[in-house]
Amino acid sequence: MSKKIVLAYSGGLDTSVAIRWLMDRGYDVVCYMGDVGQGQDTENSRKRALDIGASKCEVGDLREKFIKDYAFQTLKTGALYQNKYNLATALSRPIIASAMIAFAKQEKAVAVAHGCTGKGNDQVRFEVTFALMAPELKIIAPVREWELKTRSAEVDYAKKHKIPIEQTKKKLYSIDRNLWGISVEGGSLEDPWCEPAVDTYVSINTPEKAPEKPEYVKITFDKGIPKALNGKEYGAVELVEKLNKIGLKHGVGRVDMVEDRLVGIKSREIYEAPASEILYASHFALEELVLDRDVRGFKQFIAVRYSELIYNGLWFTPLRQALDTFVDKTQENVNGEVKVKLYKGKAMVCGRRSPNSRYKMQLATYGEGDVFDQSLAKGFIDLWALPFKK
Ligand code: ARG
């Protein structure tokens, strides 16, 4: 009996070729597809894997867990890598990798494989998770190891081995997609000066095509978790789907950035994440209202560190878990509603309210009913400056 390997299968060219390549190296290949909302025809891809020669192809619906335990947890933290990227791709790797490990144990596999190249972050995220959860499994990264250095070499290999692949119109960009966001890289985007062409808009409208009329959405949070849209409660996946749809119409959630990869390369990336953009803006706005100054300030440091942990593949580590405990404590009062205006590529917060608000009108007002004792200010400032006086 040949030894079993679990391959993270996407349905694309790389991992389709990888099935055959691993079979040629004596493996019984079983595929695993983790559905995090790629929006693809998984049944079609599953059939293709079996046609190529995989002995099994398991599809796992990870969407609910992905949004609840990964995306919303990160939202509560406020983490954005290098202040911009919501980590959609980065968050999907540890959840897929951990589901693969569970499947590998069930299948009594001796190895796991993924289709990442040797230049990116994703290989790190997969392999760190494998190593932490199942150090006994051998890890193979075909795309990093094989001799097929170009796309056309891969297409030739596929033809030679009669591997059914999708119509190989030359792919202009490398796209990774899930419910929480879409990452686009490569092609003309590799020149950081080059304005992203219209064809880099994968899901959302360009601002030019967005409606001339603004649209308002109202988000309700319970302990920092988005629970309702326009007053109606939804499950996590449905809420994100609905908000993506509204946001993309208005061209909201595009990010154009140059980021620093863990492997030391700078790369130019485009992200599309309409729901996430609206939720981050509203969550920040609610925290402004309910958190005290110290917690707010300290939490910002946590967010930076947390984003680096996720980006660098360290989701399943003690520091991330400890930070979650801190962040969850800070979210106890993050309850309330935020109004957001969507217009021509922007999500603008225009109102917030909370039963736990720390905003005191009697203290803030310059009008009638002011209770702030201005006579205290002089003494306060004297003492405040005291330690620094010569
Ligand atoms: N640079 C992003 C990250 O490391 C996205 C990578 C997306 N991958 C892709 N095949 N387009 O998280």
Side-chain angles (χ1 to χ4, degrees):
M1 218 172 66
S2 54
K3 45 208 170 140
K4 249 187 204 177
I5 188 165
V6 173
L7 167 68
Y9 187 61
S10 73
L13 178 64
D14 287 342
T15 51
S16 292
V17 168
I19 294 177
R20 174 66 197 233
W21 188 86
L22 288 165
M23 287 165 63
D24 286 348
R25 270 144 199 84
Y27 283 102
D28 170 9
V29 181
V30 290
C31 291
Y32 183 83
M33 300 182 71
D35 182 1
V36 282
Q38 293 88 330
Q40 78 190 111
D41 182 348
T42 43
E43 191 40 40
N44 216 357
S45 304
R46 211 180 72 80
K47 282 204 193 103
R48 181 174 316 134
L50 299 176
D51 281 350
I52 298 167
S55 60
K56 205 183 230 183
C57 183
E58 172 99 344
V59 182
D61 184 356
L62 308 176
R63 290 173 305 159
E64 180 85 11
K65 193 174 170 52
F66 177 56
I67 294 299
K68 273 193 166 153
D69 298 351
Y70 291 71
F72 284 178
Q73 191 59 37
T74 305
L75 169 71
K76 286 193 277 180
T77 307
L80 293 170
Y81 184 62
Q82 297 188 322
N83 265 325
K84 289 172 117 177
Y85 166 39
N86 82 341
L87 297 152
T89 296
L91 286 165
S92 71
R93 297 326 192 224
I95 188 175
I96 294 172
S98 68
M100 280 172 74
I101 293 298
F103 184 56
K105 290 192 170 155
Q106 181 192 314
E107 291 291 316
K108 300 194 173 41
V110 298
V112 277
H114 60 74
C116 308
T117 71
K119 286 179 80 170
N121 301 308
D122 287 334
Q123 53 175 342
V124 182
R125 298 164 183 153
F126 271 112
E127 290 180 37
V128 167
T129 307
F130 294 154
L132 296 182
M133 291 193 152
E136 68 283 5
L137 295 182
K138 185 177 159 71
I139 300 170
I140 303 185
V143 180
R144 204 166 60 196
E145 293 169 27
W146 66 32
E147 58 295 341
L148 308 166
K149 293 298 170 214
T150 61
R151 189 174 165 84
S152 73
E154 277 184 57
V155 172
D156 291 344
Y157 182 98
K159 283 190 181 139
K160 188 168 134 213
H161 293 94
K162 301 203 165 40
I163 296 170
I165 48 175
E166 297 206 305
Q167 269 325 306
T168 54
K169 180 161 69 101
K170 190 169 154 15
K171 277 205 306 184
L172 291 173
Y173 307 102
S174 163
I175 296 173
D176 181 72
R177 180 173 195 151
N178 65 51
L179 254 178
W180 197 232
I182 301 175
S183 310
V184 191
E185 59 187 26
S188 57
L189 293 170
E190 285 177 358
D191 174 1
W193 178 249
C194 172
E195 180 176 350
V198 176
D199 63 7
T200 64
Y201 284 75
V202 178
S203 69
I204 77 181
N205 268 336
T206 60
E208 291 84 352
K209 271 214 215 133
E212 291 301 323
K213 249 184 70 178
E215 180 169 352
Y216 289 83
V217 287
K218 192 177 77 185
I219 314 288
T220 310
F221 289 89
D222 176 27
K223 295 191 171 38
I225 298 166
K227 282 280 147 89
L229 166 62
N230 296 331
K232 195 165 179 270
E233 281 201 27
Y234 294 103
V237 168
E238 209 185 345
L239 186 123
V240 170
E241 280 173 346
K242 288 217 178 308
L243 212 45
N244 268 334
K245 219 166 155 190
I246 300 172
L248 65 86
K249 187 168 78 189
H250 292 278
V252 162
R254 278 273 288 196
V255 170
D256 177 344
M257 75 185 283
V258 172
E259 74 190 31
D260 289 284
R261 287 191 190 166
L262 180 59
V263 295
I265 306 171
K266 280 194 187 292
S267 72
R268 203 277 189 90
E269 304 275 342
I270 297 290
Y271 297 111
E272 291 186 3
S276 161
E277 169 99 5
I278 297 165
L279 292 174
Y280 266 83
S282 32
H283 182 263
F284 279 130
L286 194 55
E287 283 193 332
E288 289 167 8
L289 200 62
V290 302
L291 296 187
D292 68 81
R293 177 169 60 187
D294 274 350
V295 170
R296 250 178 99 179
F298 193 75
K299 198 168 166 283
Q300 289 181 351
F301 293 107
I302 301 292
V304 172
R305 195 69 186 87
Y306 199 89
S307 75
E308 291 165 355
L309 288 173
I310 298 171
Y311 191 84
N312 295 334
L314 302 178
W315 178 263
F316 288 108
T317 58
L319 180 56
R320 199 271 305 165
Q321 285 160 6
L323 294 181
D324 276 352
T325 305
F326 169 81
V327 168
D328 284 346
K329 180 74 190 160
T330 67
Q331 298 300 290
E332 283 171 359
N333 284 328
V334 185
N335 307 308
E337 293 180 328
V338 182
K339 259 188 309 189
V340 187
K341 178 176 176 171
L342 311 175
Y343 183 62
K344 295 267 180 211
K346 286 211 153 201
M348 295 165 277
V349 169
C350 54
R352 68 289 274 159
R353 62 183 174 198
S354 165
N356 309 107
S357 175
R358 287 176 175 274
Y359 184 89
K360 303 269 186 310
M361 189 69 111
Q362 321 92 284
L363 292 176
T365 186
Y366 285 97
E368 291 294 315
D370 181 7
V371 299
F372 187 91
D373 184 351
Q374 299 196 26
S375 70
L376 296 177
K378 183 173 178 331
F380 166 72
I381 298 164
D382 284 348
L383 296 183
W384 184 243
L386 187 62
F388 312 108
K389 279 191 173 156
K390 288 248 168 67

